[in-house]
C-alpha cells in the first residue's frame, strides 16, 4: 500500500498530505452515504458540489451503488453495542426532621433505570435532589426545542 501511495504522489505531482486527505474524504463520503442509505439522486447531489467531472461523478456513483451493502455490513459489525432504556422506577423520599433539626424538609428522588443490552439486563440506581432533577429536565427540554428549530431541521435534512 505504501508503494502505491508513493507512485500516486509521484504521478500526480502533489503532496502526500493532499492524497491522504483526498482518500479520507472519499472514505467519509462513502461510509456516511452507506450508513444513511441515501438514494442515487441524493448521492449525485452530494458529489456534484465537489466539482468533479461528470465521468468521475458517474464512477463514484457506481462505486457507491456496488459497495453500499457491504459497507453497511462492516459498519454494523464495528458499531458498539450500547445498552438502551427498558424501564424506569422512581421514588420520592422526604426527611421531615432529624434529632438535630426538628423542622427540616429534605426531599430526595431515587431513580432505578433498567437497561437492556441484547439478552442481558442491568439496572442503575441514581439519586438526586428535586432542584437538580428539574435543572436536568429543563436542559433536556431546551435541547428538544433546539432540535425543532428551523436551523437544526435544515442541518438534519442535509445530513439525511
Amino acid at each position: 500500500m505504501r508503494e502505491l501511495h508513493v507512485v500516486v504522489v509521484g504521478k500526480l505531482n502533489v503532496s502526500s498530505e493532499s492524497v491522504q486527505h483526498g482518500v479520507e474524504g472519499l472514505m467519509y463520503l462513502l461510509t456516511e452515504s452507506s450508513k444513511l442509505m441515501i438514494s442515487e439522486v441524493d448521492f449525485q447531489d452530494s458529489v456534484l458540489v465537489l466539482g468533479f467531472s461528470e465521468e468521475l461523478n458517474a464512477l463514484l456513483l457506481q462505486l457507491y451503488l456496488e459497495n453500499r451493502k457491504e459497507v453497511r455490513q462492516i459498519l454494523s459489525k464495528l458499531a458498539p453495542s450500547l445498552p438502551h432504556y427498558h424501564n424506569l422506577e422512581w421514588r420520592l423520599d422526604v426527611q421531615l426532621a432529624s434529632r438535630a433539626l426538628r423542622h427540616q424538609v429534605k426531599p430526595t428522588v431515587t431513580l432505578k433505570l433498567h437497561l437492556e443490552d441484547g439478552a442481558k439486563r442491568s439496572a442503575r440506581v441514581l439519586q438526586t435532589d428535586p432542584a437538580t432533577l428539574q435543572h436536568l429536565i429543563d436542559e433536556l427540554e431546551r435541547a428538544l426545542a433546539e432540535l425543532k428549530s428551523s436551523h437544526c431541521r435544515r442541518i438534519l435534512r442535509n445530513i439525511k
Side-chain angles (χ1 to χ4, degrees):
M1 189 67 168
R2 181 77 177 149
E3 295 81 24
L4 176 64
H5 182 72
V6 172
V7 170
V8 169
V9 169
K11 288 196 179 217
L12 294 177
N13 198 22
V14 294
S15 69
S16 61
E17 291 85 20
S18 297
V19 173
Q20 181 178 353
H21 291 305
V23 170
E24 288 172 353
L26 288 174
M27 286 176 21
Y28 181 77
L29 172 70
L30 293 173
T31 54
E32 290 300 311
S33 299
S34 298
K35 192 186 305 181
L36 299 170
M37 283 299 278
I38 63 174
S39 67
E40 291 181 37
V41 174
D42 290 337
F43 184 83
Q44 287 174 331
D45 288 344
S46 300
V47 174
L48 187 65
V49 299
L50 298 175
F52 295 143
S53 67
E54 289 295 322
E55 181 182 344
L56 186 54
N57 288 347
L59 285 172
L60 287 172
L61 176 63
Q62 180 183 356
L63 181 67
Y64 166 66
L65 293 175
E66 288 175 358
N67 296 302
R68 68 180 170 187
K69 290 182 181 173
E70 184 178 353
V71 171
R72 281 182 66 82
Q73 288 174 348
I74 292 169
L75 289 174
S76 69
K77 291 177 183 175
L78 295 175
S81 175
L82 298 174
H84 59 275
Y85 170 83
H86 177 70
N87 194 14
L88 176 72
E89 297 176 42
W90 63 274
R91 182 178 73 217
L92 177 65
D93 293 324
V94 179
Q95 182 179 358
L96 297 175
S98 68
R99 288 182 187 169
L101 296 170
R102 295 207 183 255
H103 299 291
Q104 80 175 24
V105 177
K106 185 178 174 186
T108 306
V109 178
T110 304
L111 305 168
K112 187 173 185 182
L113 181 62
H114 296 272
L115 303 172
E116 199 172 80
D117 189 6
K120 182 182 168 189
R121 289 191 178 174
S122 61
R124 301 282 189 261
V125 177
L126 310 166
Q127 195 170 37
T128 186
D129 61 296
T132 304
L133 184 60
Q134 185 61 50
H135 176 70
L136 181 63
I137 291 168
D138 293 342
E139 288 297 317
L140 289 172
E141 286 177 347
R142 192 173 303 127
L144 282 173
E146 180 68 27
L147 190 62
K148 294 176 184 177
S149 72
S150 61
H151 177 70
C152 191
R153 281 185 292 168
R154 190 175 332 114
I155 291 171
L156 287 174
R157 189 173 40 242
N158 289 331
I159 291 174
K160 290 180 185 179

